[in-house]
């Protein structure tokens, strides 16, 4: 390809409101253009990177026995109603009514359609199967952001494993785990596998692959000493137990005009330090008002609440709802003596005595609360957010909390979808079983952006060889000099003949402009051909990663590049 003929619309300035590095560099480098919020056109350079990621994923999926499909993006609403996800997925699901008045859905993933296809299987002899596709997904994200990191329309490799039993599922899960490690490794991504929440899709065992980056939206908890690694949504830690009094007598005491945990602690430092208080939150979980209790100095993690209850709609109750249920306003709420309302409490409160909480009457609190005795807790669960520096549950070392990008997700689904779609197979004895499924995803454009987030400098992108749009750029200085131009073109053709992915920068631009573009776009090797070198029989080789330049004999440059590229 000649740069003069290529559509590579590089920009000197950052796009407005672009914070994430990958957003800035992919737009400036001419890889992507926004059409509307959350929808991006992938331009030729972006498409070359995407095609390489696609090929890496396909080769690793094929290596674990995957068979590639291509399913429709538009599904009949009916199958989503059948699986229950018509209601569960909520506003993220794009829904549209066709001319016949029928409901349709744009797929956020494809469990329904694959399970439907799996209903054609009959016997355990046909299992296991791994089915995959690389296909467009639509999600009406509440906040599309950061270029292609979070969009409403993106390409996902989604795969589904089909097995006769959970042992089979475990093997398929492990195969995917290995394939994902190899895929991300080949893409140049340092992706850490962490325990994760399965969210609303249903499933038990779930692992996310996370790349450390400030542009990410996931928080990860890792231990430096042992292999404990979890998404914050699932993470737990071993915080020190609090020494409680042996006896605690429930007493009401006046707390005029005190409305916060901090104010109560300041006023009654002996009786009510935050770790002795019960924080009472009122939530509405799928339309059911619920009290959620935590230690006064702990924060709720809403995902844990939805994971533990299975609720898909989680929101704080409105003041009027609280007033009518408890007869009190936030600031003096408590669960002592409350009946008829479900109460969920964080495990750190279990067995605690001598606690302080609101009395459901303005200006009054209780002290001496024995939670097991005085509060009707219906469910105990880990609900609180782990904080950096807390001790690891496995080894006691200090935990680190960091931010990252989720590039892949694997989880064990079970039989939920096969049951509703009647995907059954007979075992050896002729007994019918629902197929046991797993579900596995990788976002291609998010993966591309994650590579940029972790491979760049102040001048631009530094593509790892495996996913670079071009391996080499031959930059001709003085294209108006016929001899130099001919020498550049000859080198370009020689490299192209050796199957090197090469672009010839033959634009009539100043060298500074061409160098800056090559660095912005991130091509790993630049060979500069200029009049002086042509006369001396040399070229200059610049490596993008360290920006080092060396003179190389014209006669040996091709061999040198082939060696560097590793072909
Ligand atoms: P997130 O928590 O970031 O919303 P998710 O858990 O909804 O992700 P999955 O349903 O597991 O994501 O989808 C599989 C993969 O698809 C993700 O690991 C990610 O790489 C990609 N992906 C998901 N949502 C988006 C999006 N809105 N934009 C780009 N890629 C996405
Ligand atoms: Mg999501």
């Amino acid at each position: 390809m000649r740069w003069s003929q290529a559509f590579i619309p590089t920009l000197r300035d950052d796009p407005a409101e672009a914070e994430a590095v990958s957003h800035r560099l992919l737009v400036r480098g001419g890889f992507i253009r926004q059409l509307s919020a959350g929808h991006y056109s992938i331009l030729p350079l972006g498409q070359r990177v995407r095609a390489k990621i696609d090929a890496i994923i396909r080769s690793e999926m094929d290596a674990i026995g995957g068979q590639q499909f291509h399913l429709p993006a538009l599904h009949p609403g009916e199958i989503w109603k059948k699986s229950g996800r018509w209601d569960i997925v909520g506003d993220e699901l794009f829904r549209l009514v066709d001319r016949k008045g029928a409901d349709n859905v744009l797929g956020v993933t494809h469990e329904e359609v694959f399970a439907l296809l799996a209903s054609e299987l009959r016997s355990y002899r046909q299992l296991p199967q791994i089915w995959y596709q690389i296909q467009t997904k639509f999600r009406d994200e509440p906040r599309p952001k950061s270029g292609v990191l979070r969009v409403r329309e993106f390409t996902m490799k989604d795969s589904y494993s089909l097995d006769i039993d959970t042992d089979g599922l475990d093997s398929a899960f492990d195969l995917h785990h290995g394939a994902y490690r190899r895929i991300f490794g080949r893409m140049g991504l340092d992706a850490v596998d962490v325990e994760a929440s399965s969210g609303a899709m249903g499933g038990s065992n779930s692992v996310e692959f996370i790349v450390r980056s400030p542009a990410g939206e996931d928080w990860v908890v890792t231990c430096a000493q042992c292999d404990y690694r979890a998404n914050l949504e699932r993470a737990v830690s071993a915080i020190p137990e609090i020494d409680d009094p042996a006896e605690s007598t429930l007493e009401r005491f006046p707390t005029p005009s005190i409305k916060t945990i901090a104010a109560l602690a300041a006023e009654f430092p002996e009786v009510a330090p935050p770790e002795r208080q019960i924080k009472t939150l009122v939530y509405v979980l799928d339309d059911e008002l619920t009290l959620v209790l935590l230690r006064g100095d702990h924060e709720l993690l809403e995902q844990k609440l939805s994971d533990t209850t299975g609720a898909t709609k989680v929101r704080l109750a409105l003041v009027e709802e609280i007033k009518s249920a408890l007869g009190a306003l936030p600031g003096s709420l408590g669960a002592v003596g409350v009946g008829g309302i479900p109460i969920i409490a964080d495990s750190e409160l279990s067995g605690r005595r001598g606690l302080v909480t609101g009395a459901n009457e303005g200006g009054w609190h209780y002290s001496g609360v024995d939670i097991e005795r005085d509060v009707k807790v219906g469910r105990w669960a880990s609900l609180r957010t782990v904080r950096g520096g807390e001790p690891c549950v496995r080894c006691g070392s200090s935990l680190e909390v960091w931010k990252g990008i989720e590039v892949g997700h694997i989880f064990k689904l079970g039989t939920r979808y096969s049951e509703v779609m009647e995907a059954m197979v007979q075992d050896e004895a002729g007994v019918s079983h629902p197929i046991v499924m797993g579900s596995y995803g990788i976002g291609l454009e998010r993966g591309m952006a994650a590579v940029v987030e972790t491979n760049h400098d102040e001048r631009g992108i530094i593509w790892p060889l495996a996913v670079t749009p071009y391996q080499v750029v031959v930059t001709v200085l003085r294209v108006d000099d016929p001899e130099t131009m001919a020498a550049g073109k000859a080198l370009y053709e020689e490299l192209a003949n050796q199957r090197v992915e090469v672009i010839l920068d033959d634009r009539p631009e100043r060298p500074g402009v061409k160098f800056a573009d090559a660095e912005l776009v991130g091509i790993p090797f630049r060979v500069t051909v200029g009049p002086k070198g042509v006369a001396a029989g040399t070229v200059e080789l610049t490596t993008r990663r360290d920006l080092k330049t060396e003179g190389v004999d014209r006669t040996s440059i091709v061999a040198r590049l082939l060696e560097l590229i590793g072909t």
Side-chain angles (χ1 to χ4, degrees), residues 92 139 141 150 406 446:
E92 210 165 280
R139 295 183 177 187
E141 296 278 352
R150 183 169 298 282
E406 177 203 315
R446 185 183 283 186

Side-chain angles (χ1 to χ4, degrees), residues 8-56:
I8 307 176
T10 55
L11 305 173
R12 216 160 290 274
D13 297 314
D14 284 336
E17 286 163 42
E19 276 170 29
V21 174
S22 61
H23 185 186
R24 290 196 277 116
L25 293 179
L26 288 171
V27 170
R28 280 186 52 211
F31 293 80
I32 59 172
R33 280 297 181 268
Q34 181 177 302
L35 176 62
S36 57
H39 298 267
Y40 279 82
S41 303
I42 309 287
L43 309 187
L45 281 187
Q47 177 52 22
R48 290 180 73 93
V49 176
R50 192 168 158 281
K52 289 197 172 170
I53 296 173
D54 183 296
I56 291 172

